Amino acid sequence: MSTTTPAVYVGTYHKYNCGSIFGKWFDLTDFDGPEDFHEACQALHAGEDDPEFMYQDWEGTPSGFASESSVDWDFIGAYKHAAEQGRDAAFIAWSGYTGECDFDAFDCAFVGEAESEEDYAQKYAEDSGLLNEVPAALRYYIDYEAYARDLFSSGLVFVDGYVFSN
């Protein structure tokens, strides 16, 4: 799964059935909504009387939010919101994992970034003050792998470098 901006390659079924893959990549975040997007597709394929658009390829969109004949514009809207906050890659990871595209649900579930579950457990223990009463010399003996196993078996999930509450 790519984490590029959501985009589709738009051809038509007629051209494809005639042996042509003529079309163009469209960055879906450039459009205000489906009407704006369809106008651009119409302009590209103006040579056909009634073009039936075919999305021959897509990227930056988890499966389920784009297909050969449709784009989920709720996903695009939520992606734009996440991108404004610098969390577009996290949103794509979460959407791919959950199959959802609700920004508010993503925002509630998003916990942070980490290199691994163990890395998250160690950072969480340090940042939350859990180790404040533990002498520094003893902190090296803490089993963060086991602590991570507990955290991620009781409500957290690690997806593509991001941590979400489940």
Side-chain angles (χ1 to χ4, degrees):
M1 169 74 239
S2 170
T3 57
T4 63
T5 301
V8 294
Y9 186 85
V10 181
T12 67
Y13 284 97
H14 175 74
K15 285 183 177 91
Y16 182 81
N17 289 333
C18 291
S20 171
I21 58 167
F22 171 79
K24 178 181 174 182
W25 278 102
F26 284 105
D27 179 336
L28 297 173
T29 63
D30 289 342
F31 301 98
D32 292 330
E35 299 82 16
D36 192 24
F37 171 66
H38 286 275
E39 285 178 21
C41 294
Q42 283 288 117
L44 176 65
H45 296 289
E48 287 185 43
D49 290 334
D50 187 21
E52 186 178 1
F53 304 123
M54 179 183 191
Y55 309 138
Q56 296 169 338
D57 198 5
W58 53 89
E59 58 183 33
T61 306
S63 58
F65 299 109
S67 70
E68 187 176 282
S69 60
S70 70
V71 170
D72 187 328
W73 285 93
D74 290 335
F75 171 83
I76 301 304
Y79 171 87
K80 285 179 172 182
H81 196 166
E84 289 169 1
Q85 296 185 3
R87 296 188 289 160
D88 46 334
F91 178 74
I92 289 173
W94 178 82
S95 293
Y97 173 75
T98 63
E100 297 180 34
C101 63
D102 180 314
F103 177 80
D104 292 335
F106 158 75
D107 196 37
C108 287
F110 183 75
V111 174
E113 286 184 62
E115 292 292 320
S116 65
E117 291 178 359
E118 187 175 338
D119 178 58
Y120 175 78
Q122 182 173 357
K123 185 167 174 30
Y124 177 77
E126 291 168 356
D127 292 350
S128 67
L130 287 175
L131 304 177
N132 287 349
E133 302 298 319
V134 177
L138 296 179
R139 292 181 187 179
Y140 297 105
Y141 294 97
I142 295 173
D143 185 350
Y144 289 109
E145 183 179 348
Y147 184 50
R149 196 171 37 253
D150 288 348
L151 286 174
F152 287 88
S153 67
S154 62
L156 294 180
V157 64
F158 184 77
V159 182
D160 296 337
Y162 300 98
V163 179
F164 304 100
S165 59
N166 214 0

